[in-house]
Amino acid sequence: MAYTEKILEKSIDPSVHKMLERAEQLNLETVWDRYEAMLPECGFGELGVCCRNCNMGPCRISPFDDHGPKKGICGATADIIVARNLVRMIAGGAAAHSDHGRDLAHTLLLTAEGKGGGYEIKDEGKLKALAGEYGIETEGRSKEQIALDLARAVYGEFGKQEGFVQFTRRAPEKRVALWKSLGIDPRGIDREIVEIMHRTHIGVDNDPVNLILQGLKASIADGWGGSTIATDLSDVLFGTPMPVRSQSNLGVLKQDHVNIIVHGHEPVLSEMIVAASNDPELVALAEKVGARGINVAGICCTGNEIIMRHGIPIVGNFLQQELAVITGAVETMIVDVQCIMPSLGPLSECFHTKFISTSPKAKFPGATHMEFSEEKAFDIAKQIVQAAVENYSYRIPEKVLIPEDKTECMVGFSAEAIVKALGGTLDPLLNAIKSGDIKGIAGVVGCNNPKIKHDHGHVALVRELIKNNVLVTTTGCNAIACAKSGLMLPEAADQAGDGLKGVCRSLGVPPVLHMGSCVDISRILTLCAAIANALGVDISDLPVAGAAPEWMSEKAVSIGAYVVSSGIFTVLGTVPPVLGSKVVTEVLTRGANEMLGAAFAVEPDPVKGAGLMIAHIEKKRQALGI
Amino acid sequence: MSQPKEIFVKTDRCVGCLSCTIACAVEHSKSKPLFGAISETPVPKSRVYVQWVEPEGKVPLVCRHCEEAPCMYACISGAISRDENGVVITDKDKCIGCWTCVMVCPYGVIGRHLEEHKAYRCDRCPDREIPACVSACPTGALVYDTVDSFSGKVRKHASRELLLAEGG
């Protein structure tokens, strides 16, 4: 089937081509149509030089020297405005990740108190390990008693005023000492986010570098705090992921099943939906309405959470959420928080699909709100699944078109799973790095963005890395892109350079390791810290690099900031809104190197981006003398 | 006789903020201030367009009020004429909505007013000394100037570049 150039240029994924053609036939709007309608995008916004922080404005600085205002009404220069806007983005991202972490702490607390509506502590070993980090007594105590102390201690991290956030101490001592010397060792998670909002208010912090330092501080509270909490408490409650096989892409939806999509981020909801979908009563009901069963599948990071813990198939990444509805085969799209397009409501109304919002924090136009609460989790999940099953008979057969595309994948490489695959110690990995079989490790993460051909940025960059013997760890929408492209199979080792190919074959693992959702970038940090500690060096000395080839969200800005703060060189595939300030651009791309031993680079071409990462890795190898 | 002014476009200056389109629509609204204009029916229309050209081109386009205006010659109902200031205007009463002007306009800057069933375009803001789009442009991408003055400035810039290229 030949598609128009207009469709082909939007994605590398054939399922997307098929569904975009379907959208055209049905005259339905998608994110790509809205993107085109938005062009040209406002240049002031692109440069980061507009400010709406007070009502003397809005102000914007002309980027041309000979024309237009050079200062905001308060006197803020482009440097000040760009820095303020950037750190507010970090605040937004850090708040989102950390609030996700807070919800897990809340769920653990309720579970420990016996008030969790169906949750249990699945990984007692990890519970005890985390308790050990906090110095919580574990000997002779029940897992509930330990969990109660742990939950309270973790809860305390958010509102803490002084001291430090415990999990930041996983970082090498040198890194922590550096953070302290720069004044960016976070005191508490919420405090650093709030301080950004204070500092960026009219007439407070007007030093671009001082502003950026506070942004880094909040981002560290995200990466080594809120995100780590989200990851580790999820593991305690739902189990630490271990390698499991599954399938990815729109073809995982089933013609003759009740299709339930869970979309959003927090496993607190999706875990219960998965459990409820196995409830015999509901399975029987599905059969009664003429379906052959209940098929749960995920989108975005909720999809990553459940694929890696249960092998539940994943429908697609961020830019595929509307396309899933357009298959006409989705009984319900259940959402919680983050990266959920408000367009899903009106779009669902064109089909029988029920769009169900569940979080008191996130309501949507056109959605049915079925509010979720941890105390009654299983009961509410059953009601939601029942609503999905009952909706099956309203499916409109002539509107159903499910693409056949689906790809096998092996996922679930938590740091613990990686160590296990290596035989219980990091040594084989360290030896492979030293010998040069593995040149280094890349963390490739981030969103989708219609500014970049869907999945092309992700897949082309990852392919180039593995070809050059760089082991890739991945989370988020990049992980889903790699799964769909067949890069998460042990057989994909054939696409890797000889060294990496040999290592993957001997261990039976793919060259691209799925480490989870976007909060699970904390797993990559933990792994890097463990490697650095094993070698007695700082993370910035390691042959590692990061990339976010198709990033778009504020969370990604916070991620980039904490990855660089952790000492990891990071390549961005889309230009952040900072080019209006020479000072900010200089700090991010060069000055950060002197401060943190790492900086950002921007490279929209994914193959060139991979080239920058490989060059960086080679440089670090030379410095280490390996 | 003093020369009439034109709206010139410096394409390298446009950052695509669309301030010109907002200002134009507001100027052509009944209530004028933005906050009133946005709630009017029919919705006030902009007569200036910012065209996106991949990968980074942002080009403001507005009626050139051509000396040999193709639309004026093509209009079969005689609705299009030139006023004493050189501005090409469409007489709404005479316009029959045949869109011949749209077909012949080389810039594609004539719009269709769905509620009035008439063609509309830039009228150079007859109530203003400087057209609203030009006043609103924060980067100087739109310039209201005479041909002589504008091209004089271009010559001056080109001369400077020439001297620099020669090592001056």
Side-chain angles (χ1 to χ4, degrees), chain A residues 39-44 46 60 62-64 66-69, chain B residues 12-13 15-19 50 52 58 136-140:
Chain A
L39 296 172
E41 291 179 331
C42 168
F44 297 102
E46 288 178 324
R60 65 246 199 285
S62 170
F64 301 106
D66 62 338
H67 197 284
Chain B
D12 58 334
R13 286 299 180 98
V15 292
C17 69
L18 308 182
S19 296
V50 181
W52 165 255
K58 297 167 179 180
C137 180
T139 63

Side-chain angles (χ1 to χ4, degrees), chain A residues 108-114 121 127 136 141-154:
Chain A
L108 182 65
L109 186 66
L110 290 174
T111 306
E113 290 173 342
I121 292 156
L127 172 77
I136 294 167
R141 302 182 75 200
S142 73
K143 59 183 181 180
E144 286 74 19
Q145 285 171 321
I146 301 168
L148 193 62
D149 283 353
L150 179 66
R152 282 181 181 148
V154 170

